[in-house]
Amino acid sequence: MTNARELSNRLAELLHQEHHALADFLVALADFDLERRWLELGHASLFNFLHRDLGLSKGAAYYRMTAAQVIQRHPEIVEPFRDGRLCLTNVVELSKVLTVENLAEILPRFFHLSKIEAKEVVAELKPTPAPARTVVTSVPSGHLVRTPASATDQPAMQLTRVSWLDEPAHANSERSTQEGPAPSVTLIASAPSAPPSAAPTVVEPKTAELSRVHITVSREFLRKLDAARDALSHSHPGATEQTILEVGLDLVLERSARRKGLVTRPRPAPAQPGMDRYSGKRRRTASGV
């Protein structure tokens, strides 16, 4: 029977071969694209060749196309692909910030990163404009987007129907009802068929300090959000969704701290016999002493 160490060594060897095969494929694909050989096969682009001729999914085709095009400009990334330091999932993010001038400094920052970690690096190096709007989409009823009429008139909401274009999956873009900065929070009101906790929270870094958060919520959550805005109208007039949620989170953390005994003000010292614990003065007895 083969022991675990032998199996581990075999897997390591297969992984090594996989890295080499991927690097060789990307180099060959870069040359294929540089010479525009896909035109000879009747394709409009390298992406179409990969998707239709080689049968790759749209996502897989997009990652490989992007990697091949980056290799054309920066052949230095081939070796990191060959030894596994760089992978297809973060090369798309790398392509957004890599230049000839910064290659030596920037390329190592993407080694061994996940996709979301690579996004965070890009957000730090190339921050997008500060998000300003909130979009609420009702999924089951056909893409309804609810946007505030103005920054100070939060309760007044405008309903707009969105027509999503049939675009390739590799476009990796998000459509909104109007041009402008990306929303800071996207709240998707889902049907009650699945609990809200079943949907993962998607975090998209926009700058080093700001991120866009995508969460799936119930209609009851949206009702409570509007009610909380009304409740905060005096202390936080025109409160945004972020402000409302931060106030709620602060209350949760404060309650947790109190439960753990982490109070901000020290408790009064135990009163001595015959002394009032609050005033510190001796209490009068029935005899007047």
Side-chain angles (χ1 to χ4, degrees), residues 137-140 187-196 199 215-219 222:
T137 305
S138 177
V139 175
L187 303 176
I188 304 178
S190 65
S193 57
I215 59 175
T216 301
V217 300
S218 65
R219 294 184 183 276
L222 295 179

Side-chain angles (χ1 to χ4, degrees), residues 6-214:
E6 291 176 342
L7 289 174
S8 175
N9 292 337
R10 175 60 177 159
L11 289 173
E13 177 60 27
L14 290 173
L15 182 61
H16 180 73
Q17 295 175 15
E18 177 186 309
H19 290 158
H20 275 259
L22 175 62
D24 291 342
F25 174 82
L26 294 177
V27 170
L29 186 63
D31 292 338
F32 183 86
D33 180 49
L34 198 60
E35 298 171 1
R36 300 173 68 84
R37 291 299 181 92
W38 37 267
L39 274 176
E40 301 174 18
L41 300 176
H43 293 288
S45 66
L46 178 63
F47 174 82
N48 286 341
F49 162 76
L50 291 169
H51 177 52
R52 297 175 181 173
D53 209 308
L54 297 191
L56 293 174
S57 69
K58 290 182 178 180
Y62 179 59
Y63 282 131
R64 285 159 178 79
M65 176 191 71
T66 303
Q69 292 172 347
V70 177
I71 286 175
Q72 292 172 13
R73 301 190 301 270
H74 310 289
E76 295 87 349
I77 75 169
V78 173
E79 285 309 310
F81 267 115
R82 197 177 299 279
D83 59 28
R85 287 175 294 167
L86 199 61
C87 64
L88 287 172
T89 58
N90 57 32
V91 71
V92 173
E93 300 304 319
L94 173 64
S95 67
K96 298 175 182 179
V97 294
L98 192 65
T99 66
V100 174
E101 294 75 19
N102 68 16
L103 187 143
E105 176 188 357
I106 298 302
L107 180 57
R109 297 190 61 178
F110 286 82
F111 291 165
H112 306 293
L113 295 189
S114 65
K115 184 177 181 179
I116 186 64
E117 290 170 337
K119 284 179 175 288
E120 291 172 353
V121 174
V122 172
E124 176 187 342
L125 298 173
K126 192 178 181 181
T128 56
R133 293 180 295 111
T134 299
V135 177
V136 180
T137 305
S138 177
V139 175
S141 58
H143 306 303
L144 292 179
V145 175
R146 193 170 61 157
T147 56
S150 70
T152 58
D153 189 14
Q154 292 290 339
M157 309 302 284
Q158 175 185 1
L159 288 175
T160 308
R161 181 170 296 277
V162 179
S163 299
W164 297 100
L165 301 178
D166 183 15
E167 58 187 3
H170 71 279
N172 194 28
S173 62
E174 300 170 4
R175 304 298 181 190
S176 61
T177 56
Q178 54 182 299
E179 296 295 329
S184 58
V185 181
T186 301
L187 303 176
I188 304 178
S190 65
S193 57
S197 59
T201 299
V202 180
V203 179
E204 181 182 352
K206 307 304 288 183
T207 70
E209 299 296 331
L210 298 176
S211 296
R212 178 189 294 165
V213 179
H214 304 260

